Amino acid sequence: MSKAISALNGQRFEGAVTVKDLGPRGMITLRGDLSSAAVKKAATSVSGAEMPQAGMCTIAKDQGIAWMSPDELLVVLPYADVDGAIAKMGKTLKDTHHLLADVSDARSIIRVQGTGVRDVIAKLSPADMRPSSFAVGTMRRTRMAQVAAAFWMRDARTIDVICFRSVSEYVFGILSAAAAEGAEVYPK
Amino acid sequence: MLILTCPYCSVAADETELSAGGEAHVKRETVGADDAAFEQYLFQRENPKGIHFERWRHAAGCGKWFHAARCTNTLEVFGTYSAQTLEPPKNITDAISAARPGWTWRNFS
């Protein structure tokens, strides 16, 4: 089988804030009744993370669960583990109404890291990025400039952005422009 | 800028994250309805300067449809509520009554 590569193929931009492609990442969309025990078990057993609260995510290191909507979760895990995880989740959810889809190749994941990371995101999306309303662990589906995107706060200076693969170059471009040296909202 | 709080994901979403879905609580006419009822369903819409009930979709967020009650004149938002209802809930109508006593919209008041 040919080797999977991400659309941005490891591109990296060093500005006041660093923007870099994280390469292929496993992502599984799971839809169903989030209060059902089987759905919770399916998501937590393959990701090794707790169920997130509404609007939050429990992604530690490179795997975990993100809350996407009242009936949708995104399970994030290493790219190579997706097929096995889907088979395992399918078994757990055998008798439960659900939808499972491998969306790994439909998406790109980009890491934005640096002290002014909140300002970089705030320039591009309508989300309220103040620490009081966007704490570490918050997940937000929104838009970035003209395209749909979602991001979560990994730690105080790191935000991981996901977007559709087809718009990866565009998102990487606008993030780089917003993160460039001299574009800081509060220059040193 | 109009900011509505999505009742499904509790995000305060601005206009650019939402898509408008037209008037709320429109009754769908079907087989057996007369011409007047069909005309009402297909073409007759409110166009108020004041209290209005609308459908919105949190398009760039959780993707859910919901209802919003707002004033088209001042952009004041009285509240948002679930799409799974045929009429505005009491807490919404109470909020409007507190701000605009004596309001009416279609057959609601």
Side-chain angles (χ1 to χ4, degrees):
Chain A
M1 207 180 121
S2 52
K3 183 171 166 276
I5 58 167
S6 61
L8 292 166
N9 203 8
Q11 277 188 59
R12 192 182 167 97
F13 174 85
E14 298 283 352
V17 171
T18 303
V19 182
K20 66 173 176 188
D21 173 38
L22 290 185
R25 175 72 61 87
M27 294 184 218
I28 301 169
T29 288
L30 168 59
R31 297 196 82 149
D33 175 2
L34 300 191
S35 60
S36 109
V39 170
K40 285 184 192 168
K41 183 165 172 250
T44 53
S45 64
V46 296
S47 63
E50 306 256 301
M51 271 291 281
Q53 301 283 314
M56 305 297 279
C57 73
T58 52
I59 300 172
K61 297 254 168 58
D62 293 331
Q63 62 180 55
I65 309 170
W67 188 94
M68 300 292 271
S69 86
D71 58 0
E72 181 176 344
L73 295 174
L74 180 72
V75 179
V76 177
L77 64 183
Y79 188 82
D81 299 351
V82 170
D83 289 344
I86 288 189
K88 191 175 169 192
M89 292 165 89
K91 257 186 221 136
T92 313
L93 292 165
K94 189 161 42 77
D95 301 318
T96 313
H97 178 64
H98 73 281
L99 176 146
L100 271 175
D102 174 6
V103 294
S104 316
D105 296 318
R107 304 254 174 90
S108 279
I109 176 164
I110 300 168
R111 175 158 297 168
V112 188
Q113 195 163 40
T115 315
V117 65
R118 287 177 187 276
D119 298 328
V120 171
I121 303 294
K123 282 185 214 174
L124 303 170
S125 95
D128 181 356
M129 295 305 292
R130 288 174 301 171
S132 54
S133 50
F134 201 87
V136 171
T138 310
M139 169 78 188
R140 182 75 148 80
R141 284 175 85 176
T142 177
R143 66 177 175 87
M144 282 202 151
Q146 301 182 41
V147 297
F151 45 80
W152 62 87
M153 192 108 203
R154 198 178 135 97
D155 59 52
R157 54 195 301 279
T158 313
I159 290 176
D160 284 352
V161 177
I162 52 175
C163 66
F164 287 115
R165 184 185 181 103
S166 56
V167 294
S168 312
E169 281 287 349
Y170 173 78
V171 172
F172 189 84
I174 54 173
L175 282 169
S176 304
E181 202 71 58
E184 303 97 320
V185 176
Y186 300 104
K188 285 179 221 97
Chain B
M1 172 95 55
L2 182 63
I3 297 178
L4 300 175
T5 302
C6 171
Y8 293 96
C9 63
S10 313
V11 160
D14 78 28
E15 233 172 299
T16 63
E17 276 187 84
L18 303 167
S19 64
E23 187 173 322
H25 309 301
V26 172
K27 180 177 177 255
R28 188 184 196 282
E29 298 297 342
T30 180
V31 179
D34 60 20
D35 287 354
F38 251 105
E39 186 200 10
Q40 177 68 36
Y41 160 54
L42 290 172
F43 304 115
Q44 304 296 321
R45 291 292 180 269
E46 298 295 317
N47 184 20
K49 183 178 180 183
I51 310 294
H52 199 22
F53 292 82
E54 290 171 320
R55 299 169 73 229
W56 285 87
R57 181 170 171 265
H58 194 188
C62 66
K64 303 293 179 199
W65 282 98
F66 61 92
H67 283 131
R70 68 180 183 103
C71 176
T72 57
N73 196 18
T74 62
L75 290 192
E76 181 177 0
V77 177
F78 302 106
T80 53
Y81 53 100
S82 159
Q84 279 72 42
T85 177
L86 298 175
E87 56 183 59
K90 186 152 189 322
N91 64 330
I92 301 289
T93 53
D94 284 352
I96 302 174
S97 298
R100 304 274 200 287
W103 67 279
T104 60
W105 183 82
R106 273 179 15 200
N107 51 348
F108 301 124
S109 60

